[in-house]
Amino acid sequence: MDEALEVGDKLDTGADKVQERLQKRHQARIEDVERRKEAKESQSVAEEKGEYFYSAFNKERAAVEELLSGCSGADRATMTHRLEEATDRIGQLQKFLNDSVLFLTQYDLRQAQAALQKLQSTLAEMREDALPKKKFAFKVRTKAADKASVTPAPNPDADTPAAAGGTKRDGATASEQYGFSNMSDVLVTRTAEEIQKQDVLLTHLTNCKVRLLGSPSTLHLKHIDSCEILCGPVSSSVFIDHCRNSTLAFPCQQLRTHHTTDTQVYLHVTSRAIIEDCRGVSFAPFSWSYPSLEEDFSVSGLDKNRNNWNQVDDFNWLAAGTPSPNWMVIPEADRKTNWDTEN
């Protein structure tokens, strides 16, 4: 009798274990189905967001293109108004793209960026052709005239070209272009009164130190060699092309960097940084400071609490899950902190 009971207990225990295994297997299948369902729903949502983005983006892009084409043959007042409106709408289109980067693929993001850059280039060309600024000629300045803004560095006897700046156009409130080029071995400082809300272009600078105190609309750096360039908050984009062996620092909404090598970028960016055809580029959080920085942040409209300085998209490195070898984060111990006290 006891043996029969013992056998019965064993059978019950075995049956319980089999039932437990079946229940676990069933639960695992349910969970797997739920995971697949969630993944499918997530993919569907991303695809719907992507479809909505491209529909809205292309519709607005076409509207801006039509607005620009309407400038042909228009009188000066109408043309000025249209170019101002196009500037505002391109800015909104840029913000729309920045807010959508999380669900766009790298390829789709690159295509949208290229389309937007083409719009910006067309706008700049039309503004230059239709509303030309006064012509400025470079000339040799006296040392007394240079002291306020251009201080010779290692070579005090070198001739220093004057900076080229814009003046207000008749009734125009759109951003204007201001800048300087073909300089070497100089310290250049510009105040908010000179660069505020302007498109700033710096080209062909070698071994220079540049301080831009203010909030420009955009910043373009081209053919920069062995320079240190520090800038206040840029309300929209910073474009870098052919820069080498330099140190840069600025806050901005968007950063696009091309053909740049061995350069450090101290960055505050509210979207994501983009590099292409670059190597040896390194990043750290923006750390430069000057007395009116807080005021300039307010003028720029940038969010001080949103900084994606280490979120970098390399368009030459699309291997998912593998870090790009073309950029790195600057170790904390190696980051520059005393900007204006070092030689």
Side-chain angles (χ1 to χ4, degrees):
M1 185 71 176
D2 292 341
E3 290 180 359
L5 289 173
E6 185 177 350
V7 170
D9 290 340
K10 288 182 178 180
L11 289 174
D12 290 342
T13 301
D16 290 343
K17 288 183 178 180
V18 170
Q19 184 65 27
E20 183 179 353
R21 285 198 299 270
L22 290 174
Q23 287 179 345
K24 286 182 178 180
R25 186 178 302 172
H26 179 64
Q27 184 63 32
R29 287 174 178 171
I30 292 176
E31 291 176 356
D32 184 57
V33 169
E34 287 297 321
R35 280 195 298 269
R36 293 186 181 187
K37 182 179 178 182
E38 290 176 1
K40 186 175 181 180
E41 289 176 350
S42 177
Q43 182 179 357
S44 177
V45 169
E47 289 174 353
E48 288 177 5
K49 286 183 177 180
E51 290 174 2
Y52 169 75
F53 168 81
Y54 273 103
S55 174
F57 182 89
N58 289 329
K59 182 178 179 180
E60 180 63 9
R61 181 182 65 175
V64 174
E65 289 174 345
E66 183 178 354
L67 182 64
L68 291 173
S69 66
C71 291
S72 179
D75 58 69
R76 186 179 182 85
T78 301
M79 194 177 301
T80 299
H81 175 74
R82 283 178 174 270
L83 291 178
E84 289 175 6
E85 183 181 348
T87 300
D88 292 338
R89 293 179 72 165
I90 290 175
Q92 290 300 316
L93 202 56
Q94 177 70 70
K95 186 177 185 302
F96 180 44
L97 176 57
N98 292 343
D99 292 340
S100 305
V101 295
L102 293 179
F103 58 81
L104 294 178
T105 65
Q106 288 290 324
Y107 174 78
D108 291 340
L109 175 61
R110 186 172 184 174
Q111 293 295 103
Q113 289 283 11
L116 190 57
Q117 189 170 14
K118 183 178 179 181
L119 270 185
Q120 292 169 331
S121 299
T122 301
L123 173 64
E125 291 172 3
M126 294 193 69
R127 182 188 295 160
E128 184 67 25
D129 293 340
L131 302 173
K133 297 190 285 285
K134 295 178 181 179
K135 293 183 178 180
F136 290 83
F138 288 107
K139 61 182 181 180
V140 177
R141 299 170 62 179
T142 64
K143 291 183 179 180
D146 285 338
K147 283 183 179 178
S149 58
V150 182
T151 303
N155 186 5
D157 296 323
D159 291 339
T160 303
T167 57
K168 275 200 179 259
R169 306 182 189 95
D170 300 340
T173 58
S175 297
E176 301 167 9
Q177 194 168 84
Y178 177 96
F180 42 86
S181 62
N182 299 304
M183 290 184 174
S184 61
D185 303 307
V186 295
L187 168 63
V188 183
T189 301
R190 292 292 180 261
T191 64
E193 288 76 13
E194 295 173 286
I195 67 170
Q196 207 82 319
K197 294 297 181 182
Q198 299 206 57
D199 295 329
V200 176
L201 171 63
L202 311 182
T203 67
H204 295 92
L205 304 183
T206 302
N207 196 33
C208 293
K209 287 192 174 186
V210 179
R211 305 289 187 268
L212 302 176
L213 311 173
S215 176
S217 173
T218 59
L219 176 63
H220 301 258
L221 306 177
K222 297 183 179 181
H223 301 286
I224 306 298
D225 187 359
S226 304
C227 292
E228 181 182 271
I229 300 176
L230 316 181
C231 182
V234 181
S235 59
S236 58
S237 301
V238 175
F239 301 96
I240 302 172
D241 194 12
H242 289 94
C243 177
R244 64 180 297 272
N245 194 34
S246 294
T247 300
L248 315 173
F250 42 75
C252 61
Q253 183 185 83
Q254 178 195 33
L255 170 65
R256 293 206 65 171
T257 305
H258 299 270
H259 307 105
T260 292
T261 59
D262 303 323
T263 291
Q264 293 187 339
V265 183
Y266 290 79
L267 179 66
H268 182 112
V269 62
T270 56
S271 58
R272 293 173 71 92
I274 295 171
I275 65 173
E276 188 170 14
D277 300 321
C278 297
R279 60 176 177 78
V281 181
S282 53
F283 293 87
F286 177 76
S287 59
W288 182 47
S289 182
Y290 57 93
S292 61
L293 178 61
E294 293 296 325
E295 179 182 344
D296 291 332
F297 255 108
S298 297
V299 170
S300 72
L302 297 178
D303 185 354
K304 283 199 66 178
N305 297 317
R306 183 180 179 185
N307 186 7
N308 300 317
W309 65 272
N310 59 349
Q311 303 298 310
V312 180
D313 294 325
D314 183 357
F315 282 172
N316 296 109
W317 188 262
L318 304 180
T322 306
S324 166
N326 298 317
W327 72 275
M328 61 171 289
V329 170
I330 303 173
E332 289 190 28
D334 298 333
R335 294 176 187 174
K336 190 176 176 70
T337 55
N338 300 319
W339 295 97
D340 294 306
T341 60
E342 300 177 358
N343 293 326

